[in-house]
Amino acid sequence: MSVMTPIFEGLWDHYIFWSVIVGAIAFGWLYHHSFWFTSKDGKKIPNVDEIEVGVFPKHNDDMRLEVAWTILPFLLIVWLTYYSWEPLDAMWTSADGGVHGYECEEGQVSNNVMDSNGIITSDCYHVIEITGQQWFWNFDCLELNDSLCDTGTETMEVYGSVPVLSLKKGETYLAIMESVDVTHAPWFQHLGTKEDVLPGQQTTLWLPISESMTEESMVLCAEYCGDAHSIMAAKLVAHN
Amino acid sequence: MVGKRSKGAIVALVVIAAMLALPSAQSLPVGISGVQESGCNCHGAVPSDSVVASIDGLPESYNYSEAYELTVSFQGGPSQEGNVNQGGFHLWASEGALSVNDATSQLYNQNEVGHTDAGNDQLSWTVTWTAPATDKNVDFVLHVNSVNGNADGAGGGTSGDMWSKVTISLGGPIEVLEAADPFVVLGVLIIVSASLLAITLAYVFYRKDPDAFDWDHFAPWLADWMTSTDHKKIGTLYFVAGLFFLGVGGIMAMIIRIQLSVPGNDFLTQEQYNQFFTLHGTTMIFLAAMPMINGFANWMIPLQLGAADLALPRINAMSFWLQPFAALLIFTGVFSGHGADTGWTGYAPYVVSEGAHYGTTMWAAGQIMLVASSTLTGINFLTTMAVMRAPGMGWMQMPLFSWSILVANVMLFLSIPAFGVGLIQVYLDRVVGTAFYDIAAGGDPLLWSHLFWYFGHPEVYVVVVPSFGIISEVIATSSRRSIFGYRSMVYAMAGIGIVAFIVYGHHMFTSGMSPTLRFVTMLTTMLVAVPTGIKVFNWLMTMHGGSLVYRTHTLWALGFLVTFTLGGISGMFFPSIAMDTHLHESYFVVAHFHYVLVGGTVFGFFAGIYYWWPKATGKMLSEKLGVLHFLTAFVSYNALFWPMHRLGVWGMTRRHHTYFVTTEEALGSLPMEAAGWNMFITVSAFLFFFSNFILVFNMIVSSIRGEDAPDDPWGGWSFEWMTSSPPPAHTLYKLNDGSWGLPTLKDANEHIANEPGWLSSWFQRLLVTDEDTEEESH
């Protein structure tokens, strides 16, 4: 069971790659210096820069090096920012004419496809409603028929009775969300996404259900909302 | 045509039937899992005393595996004969198995039964409970609804309905001992720690003069500590308070880890867990880290600047004495079992909602006092640094620890008013009924998030930057070198101080922020890596060509470099928004901030304690115990927090009192291995917790029979090494001519310091020199 979405996995691998490089430089340097430039036992401890109490020590700097490790990390973060930019278009695409097109007419289907980066594009999208309340989720399929979107409740072994949202693979949904009391946030674990639901204010969340989506996954509340926060769970079913 | 119309009629009938059934449907399982401990989600917002629920048929104590027929019923409330619906119930039994007798009730699982559609127009129901086969204490929680039957009215069906709850406990044939309430455990541990502290104090006093161990001598000694305005004494008080609360926060962390050691654990209830993590966060940041920073700063700022005391000694005493009382307020709720349960972030509108515990009000009040305390401290340190530097010490000759305190206090000074304002709003909302965060009255749920994180993000830098200062001192002194790139260190620290204010949006990436703003914040957040990178590389370069002397504080500084770099790298994953939407509020976040706040801040503190302890007490700490402390703590610390990264990616959520793993039979939110890793983390957490007692032991041993410390045991250059160890009661320094007085700083770069830098030489080209003007006037 992997909870990593292809978008997440791509970014993750790239970041891990750079982390390993930065880590190797920093730790290689650290280990080398902490074993190489040491005082030997039994010898008088040298005073390399003639440090003396009450005297500001002589400067020990090198403009070229300091500029180098200002510029290089800066270039790296510019690259990482640029690299992280790509999936954002798909995540915050506009609800009209973005990568998910316009809202589906009755009977129309999204036919979403995932490219090699994990970015999903669709012909059109369906609208559903999610309402958070202490401490349960309310899903509303609006006008969508049962094959596109279905809701219900199920008694789960560990969470007890939870609401179930059943969505169709290959379809893309736009969830319009609101809360009736305090702030909550549904974490669609296998979609790698979450967004706060706020009282008195609407937020939206794209739920593109690809063909490779896990059949059953959990939706947890990620924004602390009081006593039963940890079991404010729901189940997401991706059906064919 | 007719067919279609009849279809429509059927749909309409179904809709009407559904509307009639709605109230009962709503009191069905939706949210029922929250019912046992908390309120009922069924009907009406508040419980009503006029509804009386009862369970009949329960024995005094049960027989093993016997089946009992229970009658659950209620009286009172709006329910009346002839209502469409009269009421409903939900019964939960902690042990044994429930089953239904007829169609009026239904079974959710063996611990929960409720009424059915058919059973929602009656006042009593009969169910069967089979007692467990072993000796258990059983709790029953019954919720009932009294319904006025306006289901088809305009009120939406639930208006005017009332609910009530009754809890019954039942013992087995043999009375079993109740497990101790975790609050009692916490309370006992705090009292034990406080008593140990008191005994230590008494012992310290006894050691001073065994012959004068009586009240007549003790009272003035105590009064002196309580009324002192000496920066060294107040620094020590800050330290004692900080270490005490580090212990208290640690105990809470251990209780949290016991709860999380296995999936689905019930060592803590949800309510208790929520209070524990809230107080753990608040305690560690505001009552442990901040006082310890102030402890270091109080001791070392005047000493490093060559001053006799802080600029405003009485204000200094006041800012300390605000803290114990603030701490009492913050903890007040716990003593009644209703401690603050909002998380240290205290998000609105939950923090002002009725659901938040009473203790939250006191928690806000206590933090308002801490805001006052921090503001006063900030004024004090900034004033001291501005006006009391020794002659010859320009801004760019201040020791780096002093610079770090300067940057931290400027940040604190600019950010804490926002927090203060937010807290006062919350306090007023909770106490006098203002509506800053009342959504129904037009309040804004995001206002608090903005105010809090505008303060909160600089705040985490406020607690880590002083550690940068300590590490700069320790690495340079231990390498026997002057710090590499002193000026770029100062600029980098100032850079962190500036960037701190433009990145806080990354805490709100999933709060419905505008995509453009999210992108901008992503960029600025990444920028933090630049100044911190400069600092890390400068530290590494300081070691180059040096002669590293291995002492305990050196080990802690090297350990800091490892853990802080790891924490910094994991921090780079959050600004990448497509990853952040998954990682936000997960254990990856928990791992990251513990890496920077424990591996960064606390490891820096440990380095500082080992570095300055001889100066402050005049006694050396044991190196053997110090190395043992470092090795055990460093290993267990990494074992404790490293696996949390993986748990976060798997989907373990912060602030959840428990988690469930997916097994072959049941779907959970985490893979199976997560259970094993959590147990591993808990064991490591205990090792880490106990390894720090080596430090406490070391301190005690050192105070009793430590070697006397020389004035400059490590060979540092700043003024604190120029005075005796410990410094005289009225801080003075040993001057070159052998007398005591206030020092003057010399500069090994005198010839360089007098030459203009590139910027001023560039400016000079633009200026008309004095000589030119003189010639013209002639």
Side-chain angles (χ1 to χ4, degrees):
Chain A
M1 179 183 109
S2 166
V3 296
M4 289 161 106
T5 58
I7 292 185
F8 185 87
E9 207 156 352
L11 282 169
W12 174 266
D13 289 347
H14 192 80
Y15 269 67
I16 289 288
F17 171 76
W18 282 108
S19 302
V20 169
I21 289 185
V22 172
I25 294 172
F27 295 140
W29 191 347
L30 175 66
Y31 294 138
H32 173 266
H33 279 24
S34 45
F35 289 111
W36 191 260
F37 295 109
T38 54
S39 298
K40 302 288 171 290
D41 274 346
K43 290 210 176 131
K44 191 176 177 292
I45 294 168
N47 193 349
V48 183
D49 281 337
E50 287 140 23
I51 290 169
E52 203 184 321
V53 182
V55 180
F56 185 80
K58 65 182 180 194
H59 282 303
N60 167 19
D61 43 20
D62 184 333
M63 185 64 115
R64 281 166 305 167
L65 279 177
E66 285 158 62
V67 170
W69 54 64
T70 311
I71 304 281
L72 291 178
F74 183 73
L75 292 179
L76 177 60
I77 65 150
V78 169
W79 163 248
L80 289 177
T81 309
Y82 173 75
Y83 192 84
S84 304
W85 196 344
E86 198 183 359
L88 294 189
D89 266 358
M91 297 186 71
W92 315 127
T93 187
S94 126
D96 281 317
V99 299
H100 300 307
Y102 292 85
E103 190 177 347
C104 294
E105 304 284 322
E106 209 176 329
Q108 204 183 348
V109 290
S110 308
N111 269 330
N112 67 33
V113 277
M114 188 191 280
D115 70 9
S116 56
N117 292 322
I119 293 168
I120 296 174
T121 49
S122 347
D123 297 344
C124 65
Y125 61 85
H126 312 281
V127 176
I128 61 170
E129 246 179 42
I130 299 177
T131 313
Q133 186 173 349
Q134 280 170 334
W135 292 275
F136 58 97
W137 296 106
N138 235 318
F139 300 113
D140 190 343
C141 290
L142 303 176
E143 285 113 48
L144 301 179
N145 62 34
D146 289 357
S147 74
L148 276 175
C149 170
D150 200 9
T151 60
T153 40
E154 187 184 314
T155 304
M156 290 182 70
E157 191 117 342
V158 288
Y159 286 98
S161 166
V162 299
V164 179
L165 175 65
S166 184
L167 300 176
K168 191 168 189 289
K169 285 184 181 175
E171 299 296 317
T172 300
Y173 302 84
L174 177 66
I176 297 183
M177 311 195 293
E178 198 166 3
S179 164
V180 299
D181 36 44
V182 302
T183 313
H184 307 272
W187 181 4
F188 289 84
Q189 284 195 318
H190 288 212
L191 289 171
T193 185
K194 58 175 79 76
E195 189 80 27
D196 287 3
V197 297
L198 303 161
Q201 198 168 317
Q202 281 186 343
T203 49
T204 57
L205 185 61
W206 287 106
L207 303 174
I209 310 296
S210 68
E211 292 292 344
S212 57
M213 175 80 190
T214 358
E215 303 264 305
E216 289 188 336
S217 56
M218 294 302 299
V219 181
L220 299 176
C221 182
E223 201 66 79
Y224 178 69
C225 59
D227 283 345
H229 165 59
S230 37
I231 47 175
M232 179 171 167
K235 188 164 154 184
L236 177 66
V237 175
H239 63 255
N240 280 310
Chain B
M1 220 34 206
V2 176
K4 267 194 183 164
R5 210 170 271 169
S6 63
K7 218 183 218 172
I10 289 166
V11 170
L13 271 176
V14 169
V15 169
I16 290 167
M19 283 170 71
L20 290 178
L22 199 61
S24 69
Q26 282 198 346
S27 64
L28 284 186
V30 259
I32 231 108
S33 26
V35 156
Q36 11 165 319
E37 283 302 332
S38 50
C40 178
N41 292 310
C42 353
H43 302 225
V46 283
S48 167
D49 287 339
S50 63
V51 182
V52 182
S54 59
I55 308 176
D56 295 319
L58 278 178
E60 287 284 312
S61 67
Y62 65 81
N63 296 327
Y64 294 139
S65 303
E66 192 173 322
Y68 295 92
E69 193 157 280
L70 312 180
T71 307
V72 296
S73 59
F74 73 89
Q75 289 176 323
S79 174
Q80 271 163 26
E81 278 298 325
N83 280 358
V84 188
N85 303 315
Q86 289 194 46
F89 81 103
H90 176 269
L91 175 67
W92 174 82
S94 64
E95 305 290 345
L98 289 162
S99 54
V100 297
N101 292 8
D102 50 42
T104 60
S105 43
Q106 59 173 320
L107 190 69
Y108 302 125
N109 55 50
Q110 65 167 12
N111 299 106
E112 291 179 57
V113 286
H115 62 101
T116 57
D117 254 8
N120 80 348
D121 52 354
Q122 51 194 50
L123 301 173
S124 81
W125 300 264
T126 317
V127 294
T128 303
W129 175 68
T130 311
T134 51
D135 205 25
K136 298 253 173 71
N137 274 351
V138 190
D139 294 321
F140 292 90
V141 179
L142 171 67
H143 279 87
V144 291
N145 257 322
S146 179
V147 180
N148 61 7
N150 64 347
D152 42 356
T158 61
S159 64
D161 297 349
M162 289 173 178
W163 66 273
S164 180
K165 151 179 176 176
V166 66
T167 308
I168 294 174
S169 296
L170 182 64
I174 310 161
E175 199 62 37
V176 278
L177 282 175
E178 282 273 351
D181 189 306
F183 282 115
V184 177
V185 177
L186 177 71
V188 167
L189 287 174
I190 291 178
I191 290 167
V192 168
S193 319
S195 315
L196 282 175
L197 198 67
I199 292 169
T200 315
L201 282 182
Y203 184 68
V204 167
F205 176 69
Y206 171 77
R207 294 271 313 177
K208 264 167 58 83
D209 185 0
D211 293 333
F213 189 62
D214 53 34
W215 181 251
D216 285 347
H217 289 88
F218 184 68
W221 182 75
L222 195 65
D224 180 40
W225 276 101
M226 290 177 72
T227 55
S228 174
T229 56
D230 179 8
H231 72 100
K232 300 185 290 297
K233 283 202 164 144
I234 292 172
T236 308
L237 287 174
Y238 263 122
F239 240 102
V240 172
L243 284 175
F244 176 71
F245 280 107
L246 194 67
V248 172
I251 292 168
M252 286 191 278
M254 291 310 106
I255 295 176
I256 290 172
R257 275 323 310 180
I258 294 174
Q259 163 66 16
L260 292 177
S261 57
V262 289
N265 200 359
D266 60 356
F267 174 71
L268 295 179
T269 63
Q270 302 177 21
E271 256 184 303
Q272 290 165 339
Y273 184 84
N274 296 342
Q275 297 168 54
F276 275 109
F277 76 69
T278 302
L279 290 169
H280 169 73
T282 307
T283 305
M284 285 304 200
I285 295 274
F286 295 111
L287 299 176
M290 295 292 283
M292 282 174 78
I293 289 166
N294 288 334
F296 280 119
N298 255 292
W299 257 100
M300 290 305 153
I301 292 295
L303 288 179
Q304 287 201 328
L305 299 179
D309 203 325
L310 285 167
L312 311 159
R314 282 164 208 232
I315 294 271
N316 192 26
M318 182 175 172
S319 14
F320 171 75
W321 286 106
L322 278 172
Q323 299 229 350
F325 299 101
L328 267 179
L329 275 179
I330 287 173
F331 275 86
T332 297
V334 172
F335 304 126
S336 63
H338 286 275
D341 64 334
T342 57
W344 85 286
T345 53
Y347 268 11
Y350 180 71
V351 69
V352 297
S353 71
E354 279 174 21
H357 289 169
Y358 313 123
T360 309
T361 311
M362 290 300 159
W363 172 82
Q367 291 194 90
I368 292 172
M369 283 175 81
L370 289 179
V371 168
S373 163
S374 295
T375 310
L376 292 175
T377 317
I379 295 172
N380 208 346
F381 287 133
L382 294 179
T383 314
T384 309
M385 281 183 270
V387 301
M388 290 177 74
R389 277 170 289 132
M393 186 186 280
W395 286 111
M396 289 310 260
Q397 275 118 1
M398 272 205 320
L400 281 171
F401 175 69
S402 301
W403 258 111
S404 70
I405 295 293
L406 175 77
V407 171
N409 277 303
V410 169
M411 273 195 276
L412 195 63
F413 215 59
L414 293 178
S415 63
I416 213 163
F419 186 46
V421 165
L423 283 170
I424 291 168
Q425 289 174 339
V426 164
Y427 189 73
L428 291 179
D429 267 17
R430 289 188 66 86
V431 176
V432 298
T434 51
F436 293 106
Y437 298 108
D438 183 353
I439 310 303
D444 182 353
L446 285 175
L447 174 62
W448 168 267
S449 310
H450 283 287
L451 289 175
F452 181 81
W453 286 118
Y454 176 78
F455 155 77
H457 199 82
E459 167 68 17
V460 296
Y461 292 164
V462 166
V463 294
V464 80
V465 161
S467 274
F468 293 171
I470 296 171
I471 297 300
S472 304
E473 303 275 341
V474 170
I475 294 261
T477 309
S478 291
S479 302
R480 311 299 305 121
R481 297 220 58 178
S482 34
I483 191 87
F484 182 83
Y486 172 86
R487 281 163 293 196
S488 59
M489 284 302 231
V490 172
Y491 294 143
M493 232 159 2
I496 292 172
I498 293 163
V499 177
F501 286 92
I502 54 174
V503 300
Y504 79 86
H506 65 234
H507 294 277
M508 297 163 69
F509 270 159
T510 64
S511 67
M513 199 159 113
S514 105
T516 321
L517 211 51
R518 289 190 228 217
F519 182 73
V520 173
T521 315
M522 160 165 151
L523 206 119
T524 54
T525 304
M526 295 254 194
L527 271 180
V528 183
V530 176
T532 35
I534 294 174
K535 295 196 76 73
V536 169
F537 290 127
N538 279 352
W539 285 322
L540 291 172
M541 198 60 199
T542 305
M543 292 160 68
H544 188 89
S547 179
L548 201 62
V549 186
Y550 276 96
R551 295 280 178 265
T552 311
H553 52 261
T554 320
L555 288 174
W556 279 112
L558 297 176
F560 166 95
L561 284 181
V562 174
T563 49
F564 183 74
T565 308
L566 288 174
I569 289 174
S570 70
M572 292 305 291
F573 286 64
F574 299 114
S576 181
I577 296 168
M579 276 197 281
D580 185 76
T581 53
H582 184 62
L583 298 175
H584 191 80
E585 298 280 336
S586 75
Y587 261 69
F588 198 88
V589 180
V590 177
H592 162 71
F593 70 68
H594 280 98
Y595 255 87
V596 285
L597 288 181
V598 182
T601 306
V602 175
F603 281 15
F605 290 169
F606 285 154
I609 289 174
Y610 284 99
Y611 186 62
W612 281 316
W613 175 271
K615 175 51 64 187
T617 63
K619 303 277 186 188
M620 300 299 277
L621 281 167
S622 156
E623 282 291 317
K624 268 186 196 153
L625 284 173
V627 172
L628 183 70
H629 174 214
F630 171 74
L631 289 177
T632 48
F634 188 76
V635 171
S636 55
Y637 161 82
N638 281 293
L640 159 57
F641 291 112
W642 189 253
M644 285 188 187
H645 289 109
R646 179 49 62 181
L647 288 176
V649 175
W650 277 338
M652 187 155 162
T653 319
R654 249 179 115 172
R655 296 177 176 157
H656 278 197
H657 86 295
T658 192
Y659 55 93
F660 297 105
V661 294
T662 302
T663 56
E664 276 170 25
E665 301 92 54
L667 178 70
S669 56
L670 288 172
M672 203 113 77
E673 306 94 287
W677 279 112
N678 267 301
M679 182 51 98
F680 177 77
I681 290 173
T682 300
V683 172
S684 310
F686 272 89
L687 291 176
F688 183 58
F689 180 72
F690 286 115
S691 70
N692 290 316
F693 283 93
I694 301 175
L695 172 63
V696 178
F697 180 65
N698 202 348
M699 287 173 164
I700 295 171
V701 170
S702 157
S703 321
I704 294 173
R705 52 160 187 264
E707 277 175 58
D708 283 339
D711 290 351
D712 190 1
W714 321 121
W717 67 269
S718 40
F719 286 134
E720 76 259 35
W721 309 113
M722 208 174 179
T723 181
S724 59
S725 303
H730 179 77
T731 308
L732 284 176
Y733 306 78
K734 290 179 182 168
L735 304 182
N736 283 341
D737 57 8
S739 66
W740 289 81
L742 294 177
T744 307
L745 186 71
K746 292 192 216 90
D747 192 335
N749 312 290
E750 211 78 69
H751 56 290
I752 303 171
N754 290 334
E755 285 165 20
W758 63 269
L759 192 64
S760 51
S761 54
W762 188 79
F763 266 114
Q764 270 172 6
R765 262 190 252 164
L766 299 176
L767 296 172
V768 182
T769 59
D770 286 349
E771 288 168 18
D772 293 344
T773 44
E774 267 172 46
E775 274 167 27
E776 269 173 36
S777 62
H778 279 299

